[in-house]
Amino acid sequence: MPGVSEDYLEKALSEYNDKVNDLESAGDSEELLEAYVNRGCVLKMLEHYTSSLEDLESAAEMADRIGTDDGTYVKMYSALGELYQHFGMDASEPLGKAASRLNRISSSSHHFDARRVVSMCISSSEVLLEDGFYKEALPFLEKALDSTDSKIDPWMRNRRMEAYDLMGELYDSIEDPAKAIECYDEAIELGTDLMKSGNLEDTEQLAATYMAKAECELDLGMMDHFVADSDSAIFLIEEMHKNGMIDSMQEATDICHNVAAEFMKVGKVNEAEKYLMKAMSLTLEGAKDYIEGQGKRLKE
């Protein structure tokens, strides 16, 4: 929950502490299970990870005994997945349990509204992709795409772009570059439309998507497409630099060097030299901006 203050979380924690203390003596109940889940999630947000793990595992054990609704079940196990990753444990186990009921939750489920469903799916897929559980991430990304389908508000469209980007990463990781390119194309189309309307949240993500797509195209021998998408990434990085969104153009120079190296491999020396000159100009421009920035600071 971005934007939630620590004071609010501490107050919520105090209330959940009282509730757990009141209910524990009576044994298993839906109310106690719910209190464990709520307190565990608040503790996680406050970075009290060990206590959070204890609460959520207690809730999971109780759910095995008395059952629970789909929303609470998915919330509990998706939160456990993040905690397992934090402690270096196998996150695929709890997230696999969350995935087993994923298609049974909606914006009307307990603990979820439309945005929380999408956010949970994206964060869970990121955990799984980071840990190398590529196929296990697929149900979460499919749910995120299904939940954002036909949505027109900018937040949902930005998340849909993010989901397609992660789907591209997934297919690239399992060595299906053609499918990855399809997903990256969807992400780029969304990102470009959002940028035109001034609603793109992260221009760097769009540049990174172009770069990832270019690498897949290179794997498939699609040199012209590789160059075109590399150029698009360079252009975006230059624009971000001009607008003061980033301080360095090092990433753009790196892309220029990569393109030059690929041209050299196929004997296109003149084309390679153009990109090496471009890299040099970007480096000089970056150095000039740095010197000018230092001069302004000294005058201040």
Side-chain angles (χ1 to χ4, degrees):
M1 292 171 65
V4 178
S5 71
E6 187 166 334
D7 286 345
Y8 177 88
L9 291 173
E10 291 289 358
K11 183 175 182 294
L13 179 59
S14 177
E15 292 173 358
Y16 289 133
N17 281 336
D18 291 342
K19 192 158 192 178
V20 169
N21 290 335
D22 289 342
L23 293 168
E24 275 186 324
S25 61
D28 290 356
S29 68
E30 290 181 13
E31 293 81 3
L32 179 57
L33 191 155
E34 181 74 12
Y36 276 138
V37 171
N38 287 330
R39 189 173 71 173
C41 289
V42 170
L43 285 164
K44 181 163 70 72
M45 294 169 73
L46 287 167
E47 299 183 1
H48 300 319
Y49 297 117
T50 300
S51 296
S52 174
L53 184 65
E54 289 172 357
D55 270 2
L56 289 166
E57 287 189 331
S58 293
E61 290 168 6
M62 194 180 302
D64 286 341
R65 295 192 295 268
I66 67 172
T68 189
D69 64 276
D70 295 321
T72 300
Y73 187 90
V74 172
K75 175 72 173 178
M76 175 177 65
Y77 277 113
S78 61
L80 273 171
E82 293 180 20
L83 285 168
Y84 273 37
Q85 184 190 52
H86 174 78
F87 286 108
M89 300 160 66
D90 183 355
S92 68
E93 180 186 348
L95 288 175
K97 290 183 178 180
S100 70
R101 294 201 196 179
L102 202 55
N103 288 330
R104 288 155 64 174
I105 64 165
S106 67
S107 58
S108 61
S109 298
H110 194 37
H111 287 288
F112 291 101
D113 57 22
R115 289 192 175 195
R116 284 193 177 103
V117 171
V118 175
S119 295
M120 178 275 298
C121 286
I122 287 175
S123 61
S124 295
S125 66
E126 287 175 332
V127 168
L128 289 164
L129 289 172
E130 188 176 333
D131 287 356
F133 297 108
Y134 305 118
K135 292 181 180 178
E136 289 82 355
L138 189 59
F140 291 98
L141 291 173
E142 288 175 339
K143 181 71 173 180
L145 291 173
D146 181 62
S147 300
T148 55
D149 187 30
S150 302
K151 299 294 190 297
I152 60 172
D153 71 273
W155 188 93
M156 282 289 191
R157 296 189 75 216
N158 274 279
R159 299 292 77 70
R160 186 169 179 82
M161 173 192 171
E162 193 175 353
Y164 268 122
D165 199 30
L166 291 167
M167 189 79 88
E169 180 185 336
L170 186 159
Y171 282 113
D172 188 22
S173 297
I174 61 174
E175 299 183 1
D176 190 346
K179 189 70 175 175
I181 288 170
E182 290 179 17
C183 296
Y184 288 137
D185 273 335
E186 294 284 357
I188 287 168
E189 184 178 349
L190 282 161
T192 302
D193 286 346
L194 285 162
M195 187 165 59
K196 286 178 181 176
S197 63
N199 290 310
L200 180 63
E201 292 177 3
D202 190 352
T203 308
E204 286 188 78
Q205 182 187 343
L206 180 57
T209 304
Y210 271 115
M211 291 161 60
K213 180 171 176 261
E215 289 300 318
C216 290
E217 289 160 342
L218 187 60
D219 290 341
L220 293 174
M222 301 164 65
M223 187 67 175
D224 290 345
H225 289 84
F226 163 73
V227 174
D229 284 325
S230 295
D231 285 342
S232 295
I234 293 167
F235 172 77
L236 284 173
I237 294 167
E238 287 183 282
E239 288 299 300
M240 285 188 287
H241 186 261
K242 286 176 186 175
N243 294 326
M245 296 166 66
I246 56 174
D247 295 328
S248 170
M249 286 189 290
Q250 183 60 51
E251 200 159 26
T253 62
D254 290 344
I255 296 170
C256 289
H257 286 134
N258 288 340
V259 175
E262 294 304 324
F263 274 129
M264 289 296 290
K265 287 178 184 177
V266 294
K268 294 187 176 182
V269 178
N270 290 337
E271 286 86 346
E273 287 178 348
K274 289 177 185 177
Y275 279 90
L276 290 173
M277 292 299 293
K278 174 73 170 175
M280 189 179 297
S281 70
L282 291 173
T283 302
L284 289 172
E285 186 178 342
K288 178 186 172 186
D289 289 345
Y290 176 78
I291 292 168
E292 289 176 353
Q294 290 295 97
K296 287 179 183 178
R297 290 188 187 95
L298 288 172
K299 288 178 182 178
E300 292 170 355

